[in-house]
Amino acid sequence: QVQLVESGGGMVQAGGSLRLSCAPSGRTLSSYGMGWFRQAPGKEREFVAAISWSGTTYYADYVKGRFTISRDNAKNTVYLQMNSLKPEDTAVYYCAVKYSSGTALLIRVYGYDHWGQGTQVTVSS
């Protein structure tokens, strides 16, 4: 059973940057799609970014141009670089792994098989 561990969250002022990392235990992730989602208090979990096994990336419109998802297969780690952060980016950020092939569900919460425990990102104005 894979366990995904997120790190890198914290508190930052608006306009600042953070880099989140997601590392698994128990499985190599290089063959699978990976995604980042977030959930703010009182709101549903929403898509942020995803990367296919081949490296194709997908972004939600509200983070496009500010966030970058990447993967380092040698380190078995997926990253989310977040720049120009805004107070509305405040949320718990989750990484997830999608075992099935295909890219159609990479932007959907229900497309993923395992989730990390989440890391808090707080952006102050």
Side-chain angles (χ1 to χ4, degrees):
Q1 182 90 356
V2 66
Q3 290 187 339
L4 302 174
V5 180
E6 302 98 334
S7 61
M11 183 177 292
V12 65
Q13 289 189 331
S17 298
L18 286 172
R19 188 177 79 158
L20 305 183
S21 300
C22 174
S25 61
R27 184 170 288 199
T28 299
L29 297 179
S30 59
S31 301
Y32 306 115
M34 298 292 297
W36 285 97
F37 291 76
R38 69 188 185 187
Q39 188 166 17
K43 295 188 176 182
E44 294 186 352
R45 192 168 298 188
E46 63 181 11
F47 170 71
V48 174
I51 186 166
S52 72
W53 68 271
S54 62
T56 303
T57 57
Y58 306 83
Y59 296 97
D61 287 344
Y62 35 81
V63 305
K64 200 171 293 183
R66 300 188 297 123
F67 290 13
T68 302
I69 188 171
S70 62
R71 64 194 309 161
D72 185 334
N73 290 334
K75 295 182 178 180
N76 203 29
T77 300
V78 175
Y79 303 98
L80 184 69
Q81 177 67 43
M82 305 186 296
N83 298 329
S84 302
L85 282 161
K86 305 176 181 180
E88 51 263 43
D89 294 319
T90 295
V92 177
Y93 283 70
Y94 299 89
C95 75
V97 59
K98 176 181 177 296
Y99 295 136
S100 58
S101 60
T103 59
L105 297 182
L106 278 174
I107 64 172
R108 304 296 183 191
V109 171
Y110 56 81
Y112 288 81
D113 299 286
H114 282 116
W115 295 80
Q117 83 289 350
T119 185
Q120 177 70 46
V121 171
T122 302
V123 184
S124 61
S125 58

